[in-house]
Amino acid sequence: MNSYIVKRILVLLPVLLGMTLIVFSIIHAIPGDPAETILGQKATEQSKQALRDQLGLDKPWFHQYFAYLGDLLQGDLGTSIRTKVPIAQEIVPYLTATLELTMASMLFAVIIGVNAGIVSAWKHNSWFDYCCMVIALVGVSMPIFWLGLMEQWLFANKLHWLPSIGRMNARDPVEAITGLYVLDTMIAGRWDQLWTVTKHLILPSVALGTIPMAVIARMTRSSMLEVMSSDYIRTAKAKGLGPFFVVYGHALKNAFIPVLTVIGIQTGSLLGGAVLTETIFAWPGVGRYIYEAISSRDYPVIQSGILIVAFFFVLINLIVDLLYAVFDPRISYK
Amino acid sequence: MRKKWMSSFLTLALSTVLVLSGCSSNEEAGNSPAPAEGTDPPTETAAQDTMIMGRGGDSVALDPAIVTDGESLKIGHQVFDSLLDYKEGETEVVPGLAESWEISADGLKYTFKLKSGVKFHDGTDFNAEAVVFNFNRWSDPASEYKFEGDSFDYYDSMFGPEDGRVIKEVKAIDETTVEFTLNQPQAPFLQNIAMTPFGIASPTAIQEKKENFKSEPVGTGPFVFVEWKRNDSITLEKNPNYWKEGLPKLNKVIVRSIPDNTARFNALQNGEIDVMEDLNPDDLSILEGNSELQKIERPPFNVAYIGFNFKKKPFDDVKVRQALNHAVNKQGIIDAFFAGQAQPAVNPMPPTLWGYNDAIEDYPYDLEKAKALLAEAGFPDGLPDPVTFYAMPVSRPYMPDGKKVAEAIQADFEKIGVTVNIESPEWATYLDDAKAGEKDDLYMLGWTGDNGDPDNFLYTLLDKDAIPGNNRSFYVNEELHVLLTDAQKETDQDKRAELYKQAQVIIKEDAPWIPLVHTTPILAGKANLKGFVPSPLGSESYANAYFE
């Protein structure tokens, strides 16, 4: 298994290298003068020229690419043009914010999605099944923007149950230790803050997790339907096992592999695709970091930001692949 | 064997989570009659001493000298003081760190008497040497305190670039006297000195913190910088030793970035923030219907306009430009897209600014007159080719929704036989294209004044010196150029005002723009927030704000 992991990691290298090349080429194909965008309308022509010189923007793109790659190999992600802060240092809080949000969203999506899928498959063609599938269909097609604003309006403005923006109560700020606030408040033993932080997570995670939830529910349902009709389930039923053990003890394990794939892909896409949610809920995450870099032509941030998201995406895929083997030992490592 | 154990464990763990999730949702449904605690309270009972401000974007850097964006300067205004300041809510210059000043007869020497006993947040003394240190840092391109990637753009644009500095020398005469010698007279000098980018920073802090100074600023201002969570919040605390007696009134200010206007308004209504900037015009009626909130108006100090591209035919013809000026229904646009929070623009600068020429009459909305003028220009059936109209893809205080406004104008132009293609490329490309002047025939832009001087509108936007740059119309009028450059050297304000009035007459006649509107940006705050006076220049001090 160890050699498998090593091989898998080695495969990642050309993937990441290809990624740098693609991102770099696309960014440099965008028209417009980055110096103007970065420095703003009120900047002088001189300082714009100075910036162009400093960034090597006047040099051919492959020159810039190899310079970037060289820095990257030394662990230097570059410096943000806009804020002039090293990206490796700047990106960490954004990344942890997004990780926390993504994990909460996936927890929501997996718990609701898998359960709904199981029950739908179990009560196949019942009213519950139909309802779930209609909800799943609506969930997939729901615009995140609209859903987020509606959540805020209802749960924050009208009912005052939940906070509408940010990661914590600004009047009682959380001390960042790991950057994952749920964890940080526990480490600090601040249970009241843990509760507040958790509540801040609810609305954005539901907004972000709705689409994966719907996708997971549909996948679980179809996968379960297939497994439930197989011989060993019939045997298990014949042995007199209760429906709970049949479903969760026997069927789910085998039905879970395609679901796992979907979970992996969805998690990856959430990492980079959380821009809308992060905008509406003022969540200081990596999606917004990259988005703002794009609108201000902050090349180094766009490149490194996308690269890091891609890296996590690939990492999640790796984890999913390894989990396959755990769920189904027949999957070989060749 | 081990794998089997792991798989059983994972399955068990998963099913436990699944079962628990079912239970917990029941529990919550069962015993949650009251609103949950711990949410930011919707109303405060005791007098509040922390103000949370919600705004659309984060700061780029906290050293105001190296930035040009408004969001950064807003924080700069709290942490730093300049030698001079603007009167609260106005653009008139008042004393700041300098108590008084004298100007030599030839307008080349400014002697400032500084306040004594003022300390920077790090405990070091503010004095004449500190002023000299700051001005040298900004003007010397080889300064060791100009850190990598930094540029002092506002210094360069207000006091001339390296090869043409206005300020020749800054000298400390004694502890509290500093003398500025200029290379040439600069009429708006005092207005410029008062700008936030020229806030005086602690020399010790710059020497110690070096490039970290831009994220850990130290000034003499009413609030002390505490923490910056990027894209999230900036925390400031009261400066207990502030030199203005009894200020600031708040203990703490937290400035949060909430990009979406509607989400920000939601947060205000939910009590998570106390005051917000940039309300959507559409939300105005909700704001006015909520007795717990108040509307705060920023005095109008901007202009939104449509510029003609003189490089393109037939827009080099004044008759065509005047014709199109007649074809825009400004009041209709204001009613439809600005919720009434704007006034029609006649001149390229707002009427609240001194030197505004109110004798000038606008081209009235008159389609017949427009057609007649087009006919005179040789286009009796309207323009033969479709016109490319660049409409802003981003929202700005002077233009919340450029595309909708462009569509309204398109419909009017259609009536006089001018076919319009609206284009809205992404913002960076937009600015580039408009500056190059190759693609657009008409473009939409705007400007918010920096320093309360007409020069900052007329010369900056319409002089031939601003090509390439902010004069994206490529409008050149020698007579205007002479007026505007004379006005820069004239030190008598009445005489300057006269020059600017003449300049506006020329501009109106030449019609390089269709001036559209001067907007009144709307802020919203809790009803018990007092003393919050917005500045027309975009960034105000929060020192006087308090809660009742």
Side-chain angles (χ1 to χ4, degrees):
Chain A
M1 187 152 176
N2 285 342
S3 70
Y4 174 69
I5 296 174
V6 171
K7 265 187 222 158
R8 278 300 319 254
I9 290 170
L10 284 179
V11 169
L12 298 187
L13 292 177
V15 170
L16 290 174
L17 191 70
M19 199 67 214
T20 58
L21 189 64
I22 293 169
V23 172
F24 195 89
S25 318
I26 292 175
I27 289 169
H28 283 73
I30 303 173
D33 175 9
E36 167 105 26
T37 328
I38 293 158
L39 296 176
Q41 258 171 285
K42 293 185 174 176
T44 59
E45 200 49 45
Q46 260 187 335
S47 57
K48 283 181 216 161
Q49 190 52 46
L51 182 70
R52 278 179 216 122
D53 293 343
Q54 181 207 331
L55 296 172
L57 291 173
D58 294 336
K59 291 188 184 136
W61 75 268
F62 58 86
H63 198 285
Q64 296 179 48
Y65 175 68
F66 284 112
Y68 174 66
L69 216 56
D71 289 343
L72 206 60
L73 288 174
Q74 294 166 37
D76 180 3
L77 290 176
T79 302
S80 162
I81 297 170
R82 192 160 160 268
T83 63
K84 291 137 191 161
V85 175
I87 296 164
Q89 172 191 334
E90 197 177 57
I91 202 169
V92 175
Y94 293 110
L95 208 57
T96 47
T98 295
L99 280 182
E100 187 163 52
L101 177 61
T102 311
M103 286 193 279
S105 305
M106 285 316 290
L107 201 67
F108 161 77
V110 170
I111 289 172
I112 308 285
V114 170
N115 271 325
I118 289 171
V119 179
S120 285
W122 188 8
K123 305 272 182 196
H124 186 40
N125 285 339
S126 66
W127 64 267
F128 182 88
D129 183 20
Y130 294 135
C131 280
C132 274
M133 289 309 107
V134 168
I135 292 171
L137 191 68
V138 175
V140 169
S141 27
M142 184 96 76
I144 293 185
F145 211 83
W146 183 81
L147 178 64
L149 289 174
M150 282 302 114
E151 280 181 10
Q152 283 183 345
W153 175 77
L154 181 63
F155 294 103
N157 284 353
K158 292 293 153 198
L159 301 171
H160 292 300
W161 285 356
L162 295 165
S164 64
I165 49 144
R167 297 181 68 191
M168 57 178 186
N169 181 351
R171 292 187 169 90
D172 179 20
V174 175
E175 195 74 40
I177 303 166
T178 62
L180 300 171
Y181 285 174
V182 170
L183 217 61
D184 291 348
T185 51
M186 286 199 265
I187 293 171
R190 291 287 308 271
W191 307 110
D192 53 329
Q193 278 192 336
L194 172 64
W195 180 221
T196 315
V197 166
T198 310
K199 283 202 301 196
H200 276 86
L201 266 168
I202 295 176
L203 293 185
S205 339
V206 169
L208 187 59
T210 296
I211 291 175
M213 177 198 74
V215 174
I216 290 169
R218 286 160 62 142
M219 182 49 87
T220 311
R221 178 177 174 270
S222 63
S223 180
M224 280 296 279
L225 277 177
E226 210 173 289
V227 173
M228 290 292 272
S229 61
S230 62
D231 290 342
Y232 83 100
I233 293 296
R234 227 172 295 141
T235 314
K237 279 184 185 163
K239 280 198 296 187
L241 277 179
F244 183 84
F245 287 101
V246 172
V247 171
Y248 287 97
H250 288 72
L252 183 57
K253 209 174 89 181
N254 282 344
F256 207 61
I257 286 184
V259 178
L260 201 59
T261 314
V262 169
I263 292 175
I265 293 172
Q266 290 292 329
T267 314
S269 63
L270 286 194
L271 268 176
V275 181
L276 286 181
T277 314
E278 288 176 358
T279 302
I280 298 165
F281 292 98
W283 197 270
V286 79
R288 244 176 80 203
Y289 182 54
I290 297 175
Y291 173 78
E292 271 170 30
I294 291 172
S295 45
S296 58
R297 288 292 157 77
D298 200 339
Y299 287 168
V301 173
I302 307 173
Q303 281 159 13
S304 301
I306 294 180
L307 199 65
I308 284 177
V309 170
F311 174 74
F312 273 92
F313 195 100
V314 173
L315 199 71
I316 289 164
N317 269 315
L318 178 74
I319 295 169
V320 167
D321 278 3
L322 298 179
L323 281 178
Y324 282 166
V326 175
F327 274 90
D328 188 350
R330 287 172 305 179
I331 292 179
S332 74
Y333 297 122
K334 299 241 167 72
Chain B
M1 191 65 200
R2 212 171 93 220
K3 276 170 213 152
K4 198 176 167 199
W5 178 85
M6 258 173 90
S7 77
S8 313
F9 174 76
L10 273 177
T11 317
L12 187 73
L14 190 68
S15 33
T16 316
V17 169
L18 299 184
V19 173
L20 280 178
S21 74
C23 297
S24 69
S25 67
N26 285 342
E27 247 170 50
E28 239 165 67
N31 58 12
S32 57
E37 285 171 3
T39 314
D40 305 29
T43 48
E44 296 281 295
T45 44
Q48 193 183 325
D49 62 359
T50 298
M51 180 178 85
I52 303 185
M53 143 74 74
R55 57 172 182 171
D58 198 13
S59 293
V60 171
L62 302 182
D63 176 358
I66 61 166
V67 295
T68 49
D69 66 305
E71 297 304 342
S72 296
L73 295 175
K74 281 173 195 164
I75 302 298
H77 208 108
Q78 315 309 320
V79 178
F80 296 90
D81 289 310
S82 304
L83 289 181
L84 305 175
D85 200 356
Y86 301 102
K87 197 171 175 182
E88 202 172 30
E90 293 175 31
T91 56
E92 188 191 320
V93 169
V94 294
L97 286 172
E99 284 176 326
S100 59
W101 55 91
E102 276 168 25
I103 310 169
S104 67
D106 58 1
L108 289 176
K109 264 200 172 42
Y110 286 71
T111 313
F112 292 94
K113 191 81 194 150
L114 307 178
K115 278 205 167 300
S116 54
V118 176
K119 286 199 185 300
F120 287 108
H121 298 157
D122 58 4
T124 56
D125 287 329
F126 162 78
N127 51 29
E129 282 304 331
V131 177
V132 174
F133 177 92
N134 276 276
F135 275 88
N136 286 348
R137 176 182 178 228
W138 303 326
S139 72
D140 177 9
S143 168
E144 58 176 314
Y145 304 112
K146 179 178 181 175
F147 306 110
E148 201 190 331
D150 289 356
S151 52
F152 302 112
D153 282 306
Y154 262 119
Y155 189 87
D156 289 353
S157 70
M158 294 297 150
F159 301 120
E162 272 163 51
D163 47 3
R165 295 280 196 222
V166 169
I167 301 175
K168 186 179 177 188
E169 195 190 12
V170 185
K171 223 164 52 186
I173 304 293
D174 60 44
E175 188 73 356
T176 57
T177 313
V178 66
E179 185 186 84
F180 285 67
T181 311
L182 309 190
N183 281 317
Q184 74 226 36
Q186 186 187 44
F189 185 71
L190 294 176
Q191 293 282 350
N192 290 345
I193 288 285
M195 290 168 64
T196 308
F198 310 126
I200 306 298
S202 157
T204 323
I206 292 179
Q207 283 156 351
E208 282 171 3
K209 292 172 191 274
K210 300 212 163 60
E211 52 272 7
N212 288 336
F213 185 81
K214 59 170 110 6
S215 49
E216 300 165 22
V218 179
T220 57
F223 292 97
V224 181
F225 169 78
V226 178
E227 192 192 13
W228 184 10
K229 292 196 174 96
R230 282 181 195 269
N231 261 348
D232 183 51
S233 63
I234 291 172
T235 306
L236 307 169
E237 258 166 28
K238 178 184 188 145
N239 174 4
N241 306 315
Y242 192 50
W243 53 273
K244 278 189 193 166
E245 204 60 41
L247 297 183
K249 293 176 180 164
L250 292 163
N251 258 337
K252 202 176 189 182
V253 171
I254 301 168
V255 183
R256 302 187 75 170
S257 320
I258 307 167
D260 186 66
N261 288 0
T262 308
R264 199 173 329 119
F265 189 47
N266 278 336
L268 178 71
Q269 289 173 287
N270 196 29
E272 289 167 82
I273 57 175
D274 303 312
V275 57
M276 65 168 276
E277 296 186 331
D278 302 327
L279 187 85
N280 272 345
D282 295 343
D283 290 332
L284 194 60
S285 57
I286 306 175
L287 172 67
E288 285 170 337
N290 187 336
S291 61
E292 287 175 16
L293 301 177
Q294 61 172 320
K295 177 170 101 173
I296 304 171
E297 292 184 335
R298 190 183 289 290
F301 201 65
N302 54 38
V303 61
Y305 60 90
I306 295 169
F308 296 103
N309 182 355
F310 281 53
K311 280 183 164 184
K312 294 290 195 74
K313 284 196 181 305
F315 301 101
D316 53 346
D317 183 339
V318 65
K319 289 243 161 57
V320 173
R321 297 195 300 268
Q322 287 176 343
L324 294 184
N325 259 285
H326 278 293
V328 173
N329 181 359
K330 295 177 192 176
Q331 195 55 51
I333 290 170
I334 290 168
D335 295 340
F337 307 114
F338 291 83
Q341 295 293 329
Q343 63 188 102
V346 179
N347 289 319
M349 60 191 240
T352 44
L353 187 53
W354 62 268
Y356 182 84
N357 191 338
D358 41 22
I360 293 177
E361 276 180 40
D362 202 5
Y363 298 104
Y365 176 57
D366 184 344
L367 295 178
E368 288 313 312
K369 179 91 189 152
K371 279 185 199 162
L373 277 164
L374 274 183
E376 275 181 49
F379 303 102
D381 307 317
L383 297 182
D385 300 319
V387 167
T388 304
F389 182 4
Y390 266 39
M392 290 168 57
V394 293
S395 154
R396 284 290 179 273
Y398 48 77
M399 183 56 67
D401 194 335
K403 279 184 214 169
K404 280 191 195 159
V405 170
E407 280 162 18
I409 293 171
Q410 181 185 40
D412 269 342
F413 282 6
E414 203 74 49
K415 291 177 198 154
I416 57 164
V418 177
T419 313
V420 171
N421 291 331
I422 297 176
E423 286 186 21
S424 273
E426 167 273 338
W427 188 224
T429 314
Y430 184 100
L431 291 175
D432 264 7
D433 285 357
K435 197 165 116 185
E438 301 301 333
K439 292 188 181 157
D440 60 308
D441 298 312
L442 305 173
Y443 64 95
M444 181 190 283
L445 265 181
W447 187 261
T448 299
D450 288 308
N451 63 352
D453 196 283
D455 180 69
N456 185 246
F457 280 90
L458 302 184
Y459 177 80
T460 308
L461 300 172
L462 287 161
D463 192 83
K464 67 170 188 174
D465 288 351
I467 304 172
N470 290 312
N471 183 348
R472 290 171 158 86
S473 285
F474 305 92
Y475 164 56
V476 179
N477 183 317
E478 292 299 337
E479 197 189 341
L480 179 72
H481 176 69
V482 170
L483 278 175
L484 293 178
T485 43
D486 281 353
Q488 286 179 328
K489 290 173 205 136
E490 177 59 61
T491 43
D492 181 338
Q493 183 161 327
D494 291 338
K495 285 185 189 156
R496 289 188 71 207
E498 204 41 56
L499 293 172
Y500 286 124
K501 284 184 181 168
Q502 290 174 33
Q504 288 164 73
V505 173
I506 296 174
I507 293 166
K508 194 75 211 173
E509 189 56 35
D510 282 347
W513 290 0
I514 305 171
L516 282 180
V517 292
H518 307 294
T519 64
T520 305
I522 301 292
L523 291 79
K526 280 191 182 163
N528 63 344
L529 172 66
K530 305 284 167 185
F532 187 98
V533 184
S535 161
L537 302 169
S539 62
E540 52 275 333
S541 168
Y542 305 148
N544 280 309
Y546 67 98
F547 289 94
E548 228 171 33

